Every structure is written in structure tokens, then in C-alpha cells.
Amino acid sequence: MTVNFVASAKLPTQWGQFTIYGFEDLETGKEHVALALGDLETGGPLLCRIHSECLTGDCLFSLRCDCGPQLQSAMESIAAEGRGLILYLRQEGRGIGLLNKIKAYALQDSGADTVEANVQLGFEPDSREYQICKPMMDYFKVKAVRLLTNNPRKVDALNDMGIDVTEIVPIHTGANPHNESYLSVKIMKLGHIK
């Protein structure tokens, strides 16, 4: 997988000043970004979050998921630590895309859970891929991370590509009455950490 670094710029946020880096996946044409803070090359394993795009949760403040609060928590944790990295991957709706995600929402409104809805639309329960993380991590010379995640697939993917996950840092936030079923399905059907 080939990734091309495009540009970087300062990104002031309420938690501190990150630097945003733009990357293009030369195989798919997808654009991904990384948010970095502090010295990434010294100081031991880097606090890191791999976050898949969620327009509804990250930008529209949907209560159907916990994506927005997880992203905010990761930014806050990295800022508090003074160094870290977020890889923001453009794979909306567990990899099915925004419009298919809205179709999945409609199926969920009729009683399907998140896994059943994706399968009814002809997709895997989780179609996300993480190979793009390797060239992005290589760009920053990151070899070991403390991963902010509840998803064991992310841990396995990084370990498989030679990135050492020295610690799993669970990130539980954003639970509410609208996403209770969503969160339990992630644990029961997708093996996420409680």
C-alpha cells in the first residue's frame, strides 16, 4: 500500500495545538489525516488512537454511537499527556460509506441491530481495513504504541504489521439511552472490550 504525504498545518483545538497531516492513499484515492501533538519519536510507546470517520457522530453529534465522544476523549488524553497521534481514517459506517450507513440506520429503526443491518445490506459486519496505518505510522517513525481502543481487531492489525501495541487503553465514553443496544452489540457480536 502506497501513501503520499500531501501537506501539514497547525490545528488549534480546545485541548491544545495539534498538527494535522494530510495523506492520500494512492491505490484508492481516499484522503486520510493524522493529528499529532508533541515529540513523537522520543519518550517510549506513543499514545495513539485509530479512529474511523463518523460524520454523524464526530460532526453532527449523533447519540446513536459513541464515536464523537471517543474522538474528543482521545484528543483530550493526548493533550494531557503532551504527545500522541490520532490516525483519522476515511472509512465511514464501518467501511460501508455514508449513504449505506444511512440505509443501515433505517434498518436499525425497524429493529435490526448494527451488525444485522450491515449484513442485510450485503456487507460484512465490519468492513474496515487498517493496512493504511502502516505507511502512516512509518511516516512518523512510530514503532510502538499505547492504543486507545476497545476493538481487538485494531490491536491485531497493528501487531500483524509490526507495530508493537504495548498497552490497550480502553476508551469508554458517550454511553446514553440511544446507543445502549449499539454498545452491547459491539461487545457481544464484535468482541469489543467491556
Side-chain angles (χ1 to χ4, degrees):
M1 179 166 290
T2 307
V3 67
N4 184 41
F5 166 71
V6 177
S8 65
K10 294 176 183 175
L11 187 73
T13 74
Q14 69 187 74
W15 301 283
Q17 183 164 286
F18 287 76
T19 302
I20 187 168
Y21 294 80
F23 295 90
E24 181 184 12
D25 181 335
L26 297 178
E27 292 179 16
T28 66
K30 284 190 176 182
E31 299 167 341
H32 305 280
V33 299
L35 298 179
L37 186 102
D39 180 358
L40 304 187
E41 294 188 42
T42 59
L46 191 66
L47 189 60
C48 180
R49 166 98 180 137
I50 298 170
H51 190 88
S52 295
E53 175 182 37
C54 178
L55 177 73
T56 51
D58 298 341
C59 302
L60 302 177
F61 316 108
S62 170
L63 297 177
R64 293 182 83 126
C65 64
D66 58 344
C67 302
Q70 284 189 336
L71 178 60
Q72 292 174 21
S73 177
M75 292 177 75
E76 186 175 10
S77 296
I78 287 169
E81 183 138 320
R83 62 188 288 268
L85 182 67
I86 297 172
L87 301 185
Y88 192 90
L89 308 181
R90 305 295 300 278
Q91 43 187 4
E92 180 77 50
R94 293 194 185 129
I96 68 174
L98 180 60
L99 298 183
N100 283 320
K101 178 179 171 179
I102 295 170
K103 290 178 187 176
Y105 276 179
L107 291 171
Q108 292 166 38
D109 289 345
S110 298
D113 67 32
T114 56
V115 166
E116 293 164 350
N118 280 17
V119 170
Q120 286 176 31
L121 291 171
F123 298 104
E124 295 292 321
D126 188 342
S127 299
R128 292 176 293 179
E129 297 180 355
Y130 300 104
Q131 292 88 345
I132 192 69
C133 296
K134 175 66 170 147
M136 292 173 76
M137 294 273 197
D138 287 349
Y139 178 85
F140 295 106
K141 300 180 175 71
V142 173
K143 303 288 186 205
V145 297
R146 296 166 41 237
L147 193 61
L148 287 157
T149 191
N150 304 323
N151 186 346
R153 287 186 64 226
K154 293 179 184 179
V155 176
D156 293 343
L158 289 183
N159 282 327
D160 288 348
M161 41 181 109
I163 305 293
D164 185 19
V165 179
T166 64
E167 181 184 358
I168 299 169
V169 182
I171 184 165
H172 296 294
T173 185
N176 67 69
H178 302 282
N179 67 14
E180 288 172 346
S181 173
Y182 166 84
L183 295 176
S184 67
V185 166
K186 287 206 299 187
I187 293 166
M188 300 302 293
K189 293 189 175 182
L190 298 175
H192 285 215
I193 300 165
K194 291 184 181 182

